[in-house]
Structure formats: C-alpha cells, structure tokens
Amino acid sequence: MATSSVRSCRQYLLHLAQDNLDFRLPEIKALLALRGKPFIPDEKFKEKSPFWCLDGLSEEDIRSIMARSVCAKSAFELWGHGQTHSELRASLLSYQSENMSPFMHKDSTYRINIYTFNKTLEFTDRIKRIDALDYLPFEGTVNLKSPQHIFCLLEDYGTDPNNIPEHPNSVYFGRWLADGQRELIHSHSVKNRHFIGNTSMDAGLSFIMANHAKVKENDLVFDPFVGTGSLLVACSHFGAYVCGTDIDYNTIHGRGRSSRKNQKWRGPDENIKANLRQYGTEKTFLDVMVSDSSKSVWREAALFDAIITDPPYGIRESTRRTGSHKDITKPPDESHIPVSQAYHLSDIFTDLLNFSAHHLVMGGRLVYWLPVYRPEYCEEMVPLNPCFQLISNCEQTLSSHTSRRLITMEKIKEPEELDSLTHLADPRFSPYQGHNAFREKYFSGLNKRRGKEDNKLDFNDVSC
Amino acid sequence: MKLLTHNMLTSHVKGVTKGYPLLIKATEVKVNEVEFNPQFVSRMIPKLEWSALVQAAEELGHRQDLPGELVADYETNEEFLKKVHRILLEVEVLEGCLQCPESGREFPISRGIPNMLLNEDEA
C-alpha cells in the first residue's frame, strides 16, 4: 500500500534552501527545542533533500520555526504526498474533508502554486497540473493577486542537475502556512551595514548561529570576541539583550582604517551600537568593552543565557593576549595595547569552554567556530568539557585544506574545581591538538598551490 | 557603561581576592530613555548582587528611591520594575573610571566604553 489510510495527526512539509546543508538540521532541531518539541521526520526522511515531512507538531510550532529559520524557505500543512501523481491523488482523497473544507468554501479565495525542484516547467505544463487537481473540492474563487489561501503542488526531481528525470521522485500538495526568514540575508547584508571589519560574519550565518544557540527574547547574550558585532546584530534581532568584549581598542571604539574598498578611515557612525541602531534594535544594546578574553572580568555567576562567538583564527586578525615581555617600557596612553603574546589556538578554546562553564546558565548554549586543517582533522579534536554536551558540529569548507566548524555545546552540569584541568588527565578531553600551527598550515598550503590555482582564499568569498 | 554591566564586572588584577564590586568614579553620566521591558528586568533581577547595585546607584547620585533590599513579588510590581529598569539600563557612565576596591587600580571609561586591559606586569 503506497499511502496510509485516514491520518489522524497533521503532517507538515518544510521546503528548505539548498545551502549550508550541514547547518539545517541543527537549526530546525534547536528551534523545535525552544518549543519543547522533538524532531520527528517521516520514514522517507533524507537530510540532504529540500523537502522534509514532520510529524508530532502543531501549526503553532511550525509558525514559530518559520518566524526564526533562515534555512527553511516555506512551510505547508501537508494534505497528501506520494512518489507519483496517482499516489498523490490517492493520498489526497484519503485526507479528511473536514480538514479541507474551512479553506475551500465558496466565499473564500485561493490560488495554486506549482513548484518544481531541479526542473523548469513550461507554462502550459503548469496549467495542466493545476487542472489535474480538479478532483479536489475547491468551491471558492481563484484570486491570483491576494488570495486568502495559497496551496502548493511541489515536485522533487532529485538533487542532480545533470541528470533530471522525466518524472518527479516525489510530489507533495499542501496549504501554504508561512515563509522563513531568508529575507534577513539581504536586509541585514554586511554590504549595507554601517560598521564592518575584515572578519564581519555573513548575515545568514549570524542568524543560523543565533538559532543554533536557542537565543530567545529577553535573553542575555555575550560575545567575547565581538569584533564589529555581527553576531550581536543577529541575536538582538531575535529579542536578546547583547554585550561583547574585544581586545582591539580601535574596533570596539569604531576607529581606525575602514574595511571598505573606497574608504580610508572609519566615519563617526561606525561602531557596534550604530549597527544595532541601523536595524532598530538599539534598545537591546547593553555594553561593549575592551578586554582580554583570556582574563575574565566577570564575577563568578551564571550570567549569560548564551555565548556566541567567532574567535580569531590567526589569519586575518591576529590572536593576542596580554602578558609580560621583559624590557619593554612604553608610556601609558589611552589606546595602549599591552604587549601581546601569541595566544595559541588550543588555549583559546580551552579558555572559552572553561569560561562558558562558569558563566552560562544551566541549559545555556555556547556556539563558536573552530578552524580546521582538513588533512589532519578528526572528531576527537573538537574540544570537550565535562560540563557540556556536544549538540552539533557543522562544517563550512573554506578551501581544499581548510574549513571551519560551527560547534554547539549545551551546559549540562555546574563546574567543579578540578573540571578545568580534566583535559590534562583524560585523553577524551584533550584540547585541540596539532592545530596550534593552523596559521602556518594555512599559509603553507597557499604557497604550495600558488601557480596551480589562481583563486584567492578570502573568507568573504566563501560566505553565502 | 550601564549599571547592569557594572553589576557583573569584577577586578581581575593579579592577587586580588576582594575585587567586587568595582568602585565607580564618574566624570560624565547621562540618562537615556530606553524602552521599558518588564520581562527583561524581571529576568535580570535574580542575576544581580542587589547591594552592589544600590551602592553603584548611590555613587552616581542616581539612587532616588531604590530600596536597599529586593522587594518580594517583584515580577508583578510594575512601579518597582520601572525603578530597576531606569537604574540598570537608562543611567550610563560616559567618562570616568572603575576602580579595584582592593588594589586601587583604575580602569578608564571613555565614550561609555570601559577598558579592562591590564598591563604586562599586572596580568
């Protein structure tokens, strides 16, 4: 039997964008977790597919996900599906008519959209498909401009653009509920932001990070490597109050050289607070400070609901921390940056996990990027801490030999005195080994490839 | 720098054990109008060290009628929440410094931004 008999619970269809594939499932799961709901896909679920059918949810759950998700394009109340159009028809005919009638009565208006993934249809074929749905009890009138109800027939022609089948692999029909927040990728684009730097996080990824961190309204969020505040912009958009620190005095004060091509120096409206003002979330700006993240300035308490950050990789911005070098005498002045030691990459993450264990609320999340030298990467390299459970590890490839991984950890236990030293004793908690020389490996890879390829390795180029 | 932030900061000068709360020596203070959000204020109250908040408000001359002890059932007391909102988010130190109560070390605040960096020999 291809289709089930009368279904008692609603199913919902998510149509997802085909980029940042690794990041989608953790995003949807995190947004469902905010509602206390589990992720229950149907038995045909394929993570890489643009179409996901979900069980065990309410329409409110779906609307809440779509109000936050940047990975999901649209959501539908699923009325029927199948591998062929005749299976779809059987499925639709078994959908209870009392679930259909509120949206099809004679005083209502509607339109039907046809969406084909991985295939372009001629106009006449679209019309044919709409006409073929005449077995459904539509009683209202068609209104293409502003219908009360929108229905969609979706066809999946697979994920191989070089091998498009004649008939779709799957077809779905449902009532459109909501679109996702992909518009934020454009409205909050770094290209139009008042204040940017070399390492400003791309808008789409910033919002994905805020979602992975389960940021919610009235949370208190902290970024210890805040830079130009891209992550704070995303979190404040979802209603969290935000603060950050950075060791770089000029970036925090919005001074110094501009990162824009045609501009030499930063203007007066270029600082993190101005970015929040640009998007109307200034009221959630708490403070930014000049501070060294390896030397915490916060009192010992569970202060933050989430910690979201993009620590330096040592490539475009250097890794630094304050420390003593003998024989340096410098007169103190306002922007004096104390002499910096190289801050080994593995120490950054050990410190970050330890700091987060002490300052996150129970159940709070730490979300951060871990730069990876791909030829040597293995899962054991992801730093662990006994106070945290690893939730997700999503790779974004940057080049053939480098990538960065978005790590999400959730605090499950309060720290005890010896926890910060556990990594020394237990090999499972070893810090991020072999990556202290990430910077050298990154550049040595570039040198080897010069002459073979002419593409520039620029983090900005790989953002979506 | 807002007083919500100040309430969470501590001195990290090497060897100091009683570095909280930092004393505030303000030369320029501003009061902004920030949209009142009672849910946020209620959520922040359990994170606060109340006496340090009152002390900071006093130092800035902005205590007004903020009570010395936390009021019971504050979640529903809108009048109280408005007072807390004002002191946490609307009073801002633009210029001045924060001072470690034990070592006396000063951390400057300029344009509302504290600089908490220690020098090489203090780290």
Side-chain angles (χ1 to χ4, degrees):
Chain A
M1 264 269 277
T3 56
S4 55
S5 50
V6 175
R7 289 187 297 277
S8 48
C9 6
R10 294 284 155 85
Q11 273 199 317
Y12 293 95
L13 177 72
L14 293 186
H15 173 212
L16 298 116
Q18 291 299 90
D19 56 33
N20 292 321
L21 292 187
D22 275 4
F23 297 74
R24 305 185 314 181
L25 187 54
E27 193 207 42
I28 300 298
K29 280 185 171 173
L31 296 177
L32 282 170
L34 274 173
R35 304 273 305 170
K37 291 292 178 77
F39 177 81
I40 306 175
D42 77 349
E43 65 278 359
K44 296 210 181 70
F45 173 70
K46 287 204 187 73
E47 194 186 330
K48 304 289 180 209
S49 162
F51 301 108
W52 293 356
C53 294
L54 302 184
D55 294 324
L57 300 175
S58 68
E59 187 173 316
E60 265 315 298
D61 292 330
I62 295 294
R63 289 186 185 280
S64 296
I65 299 173
M66 298 311 281
R68 288 278 301 249
S69 175
V70 154
C71 294
K73 286 174 105 162
S74 317
F76 305 87
E77 179 183 71
L78 190 63
W79 287 12
H81 66 295
Q83 293 180 300
T84 62
H85 278 279
S86 52
E87 276 184 26
L88 171 66
R89 182 190 158 114
S91 175
L92 280 169
L93 290 174
S94 72
Y95 190 71
Q96 290 191 300
S97 55
E98 56 257 34
N99 293 335
M100 287 191 194
S101 45
F103 313 104
M104 296 177 119
H105 67 79
K106 59 178 167 48
D107 299 320
S108 66
T109 58
Y110 72 100
R111 66 172 282 168
I112 301 178
N113 292 341
I114 309 287
Y115 178 81
T116 52
F117 179 76
N118 198 32
K119 187 172 204 162
T120 325
L121 278 191
E122 299 284 321
F123 178 74
T124 46
D125 291 323
R126 290 174 179 273
I127 299 299
K128 272 192 207 149
R129 279 161 173 71
I130 293 177
D131 290 342
L133 290 167
D134 60 2
Y135 57 87
L136 289 173
F138 291 106
E139 283 175 43
T141 28
V142 172
N143 181 328
L144 295 180
K145 242 183 156 178
S146 40
Q148 285 171 302
H149 307 295
I150 298 175
F151 301 97
C152 199
L153 173 71
L154 304 106
E155 295 183 338
D156 183 357
Y157 287 87
T159 48
D160 186 351
N162 298 317
N163 186 14
I164 303 173
E166 202 198 318
H167 299 292
N169 302 330
S170 310
V171 286
Y172 307 88
F173 182 87
R175 177 173 69 97
W176 175 83
L177 292 178
D179 285 340
Q181 301 305 306
R182 291 187 69 73
E183 175 50 34
L184 292 174
I185 297 169
H186 310 290
S187 62
H188 285 61
S189 166
V190 161
K191 289 193 199 93
N192 302 321
R193 196 169 298 169
H194 288 326
F195 176 49
I196 59 166
N198 294 341
T199 55
S200 293
M201 181 68 56
D202 139 278
L205 285 171
S206 306
F207 288 107
I208 287 174
M209 286 173 79
N211 283 334
H212 280 209
K214 288 174 66 181
V215 166
K216 57 193 187 301
E217 209 184 338
N218 302 326
D219 269 359
L220 183 59
V221 174
F222 174 59
D223 182 350
F225 300 97
V226 72
T228 55
S230 311
L231 303 182
L232 300 190
V233 164
C235 293
S236 70
H237 179 77
F238 293 138
Y241 286 67
V242 295
C243 56
T245 61
D246 201 288
I247 203 171
D248 189 302
Y249 182 95
N250 284 332
T251 307
I252 290 289
H253 280 265
R255 298 191 336 185
R257 289 191 177 276
S258 171
S259 291
R260 295 204 134 92
K261 205 175 88 168
N262 298 322
Q263 191 183 333
K264 193 165 180 200
W265 298 102
R266 291 187 164 130
D269 196 31
E270 294 190 49
N271 54 62
I272 296 170
K273 192 173 188 181
N275 280 344
L276 267 72
R277 189 180 306 130
Q278 179 181 357
Y279 302 114
T281 56
E282 197 182 342
K283 73 168 197 224
T284 60
F285 176 82
L286 193 56
D287 274 300
V288 290
M289 302 186 292
V290 184
S291 175
D292 175 350
S293 290
S294 70
K295 294 171 175 59
S296 171
V297 297
W298 304 94
R299 79 172 140 83
E300 184 73 17
L303 301 168
F304 305 115
D305 297 292
I307 294 175
I308 306 183
T309 194
D310 183 21
Y313 313 155
I315 296 172
R316 281 184 307 167
E317 307 288 359
S318 60
T319 56
R320 291 177 283 167
R321 76 170 150 198
T322 54
S324 58
H325 279 203
K326 297 193 168 75
D327 306 317
I328 307 283
T329 46
K330 263 188 174 147
D333 83 80
E334 197 196 333
S335 69
H336 166 65
I337 294 160
V339 169
S340 304
Q341 294 174 324
Y343 192 7
H344 282 299
L345 228 43
S346 66
D347 291 343
I348 291 185
F349 301 109
T350 315
D351 285 350
L352 181 61
L353 258 68
N354 194 39
F355 173 85
S356 303
H358 285 262
H359 294 97
L360 267 178
V361 303
M362 188 61 77
R365 287 193 174 184
L366 163 65
V367 176
Y368 70 95
W369 286 103
L370 185 71
V372 157
Y373 182 65
R374 299 179 83 211
E376 289 177 12
Y377 172 75
C378 62
E379 250 186 78
E380 287 66 38
M381 275 179 184
V382 176
L384 295 179
N385 181 295
C387 300
F388 286 96
Q389 180 183 24
L390 177 65
I391 302 291
S392 60
N393 171 354
C394 307
E395 185 180 30
Q396 183 193 34
T397 308
L398 301 172
S399 73
S400 59
H401 60 292
T402 60
S403 65
R404 57 184 179 181
R405 287 175 169 272
L406 188 66
I407 308 295
T408 300
M409 324 252 329
E410 187 166 296
K411 180 170 168 180
I412 51 170
K413 178 168 103 66
E414 292 293 349
E416 288 157 49
E417 218 180 282
L418 296 175
D419 280 346
S420 59
L421 302 173
T422 316
H423 66 277
L424 296 175
D426 186 334
R428 278 192 315 130
F429 296 121
S430 300
Y432 185 49
Q433 286 170 352
H435 271 58
N436 283 337
F438 178 78
R439 196 163 190 267
E440 286 144 35
K441 286 169 179 158
Y442 176 86
F443 285 116
S444 75
L446 282 184
N447 287 331
K448 281 190 198 126
R449 287 165 56 228
R450 207 155 276 163
K452 280 190 195 172
E453 299 163 26
D454 62 347
N455 53 320
K456 199 160 55 106
L457 283 164
D458 190 306
F459 284 23
N460 277 327
D461 290 345
V462 298
S463 60
C464 333
Chain B
M1 182 200 67
K2 304 191 171 128
L3 292 189
L4 172 53
T5 308
H6 166 263
N7 194 270
M8 302 188 289
L9 294 178
T10 187
S11 169
H12 56 309
V13 173
K14 200 158 83 171
V16 160
T17 50
K18 292 193 176 64
Y20 181 85
L22 292 159
L23 307 170
I24 313 179
K25 288 151 88 171
T27 53
E28 193 184 332
V29 177
K30 190 168 167 235
V31 180
N32 305 304
E33 208 181 297
V34 177
E35 192 181 311
F36 173 55
N37 179 347
Q39 287 84 15
F40 177 71
V41 179
S42 289
R43 284 196 86 236
M44 292 302 111
I45 287 174
K47 299 188 206 265
L48 300 172
E49 286 284 335
W50 190 259
S51 51
L53 181 68
V54 175
Q55 182 183 325
E58 289 263 15
E59 279 178 298
L60 297 183
H62 277 273
R63 182 177 172 179
Q64 297 185 345
D65 53 355
L66 193 70
E69 300 261 309
L70 190 56
V71 152
D73 296 327
Y74 54 80
E75 294 98 327
T76 47
N77 186 335
E78 188 171 293
E79 205 188 302
F80 175 74
L81 290 179
K82 280 196 167 139
K83 290 181 192 165
V84 180
H85 162 80
R86 187 181 169 277
I87 206 68
L88 287 182
L89 297 177
E90 292 189 328
V91 176
E92 199 181 346
V93 179
L94 292 182
E95 302 287 332
C97 70
L98 297 169
Q99 187 179 44
C100 172
E102 191 178 316
S103 68
R105 208 287 193 186
E106 289 183 350
F107 298 95
I109 301 175
S110 82
R111 286 181 287 267
I113 297 172
N115 181 347
M116 307 301 291
L117 292 178
L118 292 168
N119 288 317
E120 300 76 41
D121 47 334
E122 302 166 295

